[in-house]
Amino acid sequence: MNSQKPPLPALFLALLTAGSLAAQVELTDNVAISGFVNGVYVHKDKSGVTTEELKLDEAEIDLIFNLDIVSGEIHMHTNGSDNVELEQAFATLDFGKGISVSAGRFLSLLGFESDETVNRFTRSYAYDLSNPIPLYNDGVNVKAVTDMGWLSLSLLDEVWNGYGPGNVNDGAMGVEIQAGLTTQQGLTAVVGYGGQDTGDNGTNPSAEILNVWVSYETGAFIFAAEYNDFSYASKMGVSNPLFRNSAGALAGDVNKGNAFLLLAHYAANDNLSFTARYAEEDLDTGDDSKKWTISPKYSFTDNFAGRLEYSRTDLEQGGTSEDVDFFSVEAIFTF
């Protein structure tokens, strides 16, 4: 499916004048629509080499269906190119008492940061070096939710998109499990695990990730911390023939190491907020990164906001040290 990308001036004009729309549009008693459009200016300097972009960063339309004990969602997404992709599509059967089963294509259980740019505290992800957090999976999920927290289990075609053969009969099925605890004092603690066996054919190395995060909300502040320990072949490793042997199999784990983030968010008032974040990644290869981020955000209406971000990353890759300065200005419209 193709779509025509709107001219940037028209995009920003539409964002500036669209703030009166509702947060979610009810189409019928059983169907609603929501989504977002995100325009951005990016300035990036990597070891003296400067690049600049002014673009439609992302756009998404979500259809939400609610048919008694059965519900479903369809998410159509574009990153500003001419291609529109089916990001998520799943149905959920609610058995009551907090127990539900979902099937289709859905978001990974793992990771503190949101998959969507507009829902994160910052525009950029914390981890730029190894990108260990999975995103979207095909499979079945079972979830049990109580007042104290939740337990969720997913059986997946593959944990990391493009990672393995994705063949259940080959023994390469992936699994994710997550347990969360919430308290009335504003504390949330979550532990999750994702793993995938190499399969009978041994096309890719076995992979796994341990993801642990906590957040604490008190007054106008939100504090969060996350830790990841992982061993997996990155998307780059999966697609790059340089990482494969003569038989076409990966010679070994491309990314193996750990990563963590620390985050503080302060809401000065109903409109203005500030986020500060520090993140580190350390790979067994000796590559590492240290990233500092500051990001103020101002909500002009319930539907339209502007956000700035400045990030500084110190990279060590392949024995070479590089500094990356990143600056962005965003216009965010949600409905």
Side-chain angles (χ1 to χ4, degrees):
M1 180 178 179
N2 294 324
S3 63
Q4 185 177 0
K5 184 166 69 174
L8 282 166
L11 165 69
F12 279 91
L13 179 61
L15 288 173
L16 287 168
T17 58
S20 61
L21 295 181
Q24 188 179 84
V25 181
E26 301 288 339
L27 300 181
T28 71
D29 291 340
N30 305 112
V31 182
I33 185 172
S34 65
F36 65 85
V37 180
N38 179 32
V40 64
Y41 165 78
V42 174
H43 178 99
K44 186 176 181 180
D45 186 294
K46 186 175 182 179
S47 296
V49 179
T50 300
T51 58
E52 292 183 292
E53 288 184 293
L54 179 63
K55 62 179 182 176
L56 169 63
D57 191 40
E58 290 183 288
E60 180 167 313
I61 294 178
D62 304 335
L63 289 172
I64 300 107
F65 303 89
N66 189 358
L67 306 170
D68 232 355
I69 64 172
V70 178
S71 61
E73 296 185 25
I74 299 175
H75 296 209
M76 303 302 297
H77 179 270
T78 179
N79 60 0
S81 66
D82 290 335
N83 296 322
V84 175
E85 65 176 358
L86 180 64
E87 184 183 70
Q88 297 189 68
F90 60 89
T92 300
L93 179 61
D94 187 352
F95 290 94
K97 296 184 179 180
I99 299 175
S100 63
V101 175
S102 299
R105 180 170 178 79
F106 44 79
L107 181 63
S108 167
L109 299 177
L110 306 178
F112 168 75
E113 294 187 307
S114 172
D115 61 312
E116 306 290 9
T117 305
V118 299
N119 294 326
R120 286 199 293 271
F121 288 104
T122 61
R123 179 183 182 274
S124 68
Y125 281 114
Y127 314 122
D128 297 327
L129 180 63
S130 57
N131 303 116
I133 305 297
L135 286 176
Y136 303 103
N137 314 126
D138 296 329
V140 178
N141 171 263
V142 180
K143 181 182 290 184
V145 181
T146 71
D147 293 339
M148 292 294 295
W150 69 90
L151 178 65
S152 190
L153 171 67
S154 294
L155 298 179
L156 307 167
D157 187 49
E158 49 189 13
V159 176
W160 289 271
N161 182 33
Y163 180 84
N167 188 342
V168 174
N169 294 329
D170 185 46
M173 176 182 286
V175 62
E176 288 184 351
I177 186 169
Q178 184 189 70
L181 171 69
T182 59
T183 72
Q184 294 181 349
Q185 290 73 37
L187 176 68
T188 301
V190 179
V191 58
Y193 172 84
Q196 184 165 350
D197 188 65
T198 185
D200 298 336
N201 295 328
T203 306
N204 289 325
S206 298
E208 60 182 356
I209 178 173
L210 173 67
N211 172 254
V212 180
W213 60 266
V214 295
S215 68
Y216 177 64
E217 183 173 358
T218 175
F221 289 93
I222 297 175
F223 302 99
E226 178 181 61
Y227 174 78
N228 300 282
D229 189 280
F230 51 86
S231 174
Y232 82 108
S234 68
K235 292 181 180 179
M236 180 184 70
V238 168
S239 61
N240 191 334
L242 296 177
F243 290 111
R244 296 185 178 272
N245 59 28
S246 58
L250 286 167
D253 292 337
V254 178
N255 286 332
K256 186 175 183 179
N258 56 75
F260 73 87
L261 71 80
L262 301 172
L263 181 143
H265 176 80
Y266 172 65
N269 53 50
D270 291 340
N271 303 101
L272 181 63
S273 64
F274 299 88
T275 299
R277 182 187 64 195
Y278 176 72
E280 280 193 19
E281 298 174 80
D282 292 291
L283 305 183
D284 286 4
T285 59
D287 293 352
D288 66 71
S289 72
K290 298 176 176 62
K291 184 174 183 178
W292 296 262
T293 301
I294 184 72
S295 181
K297 179 180 178 180
Y298 189 84
S299 298
F300 298 96
T301 73
D302 291 339
N303 304 92
F304 177 69
R307 181 169 60 186
L308 305 177
E309 177 179 322
Y310 172 74
S311 291
R312 170 63 180 258
T313 305
D314 296 335
L315 280 176
E316 182 74 26
Q317 281 185 293
T320 301
S321 298
E322 295 183 293
D323 298 327
V324 181
D325 291 296
F326 175 91
F327 174 73
S328 66
V329 182
E330 288 180 276
I332 301 169
F333 167 56
T334 59
F335 60 93

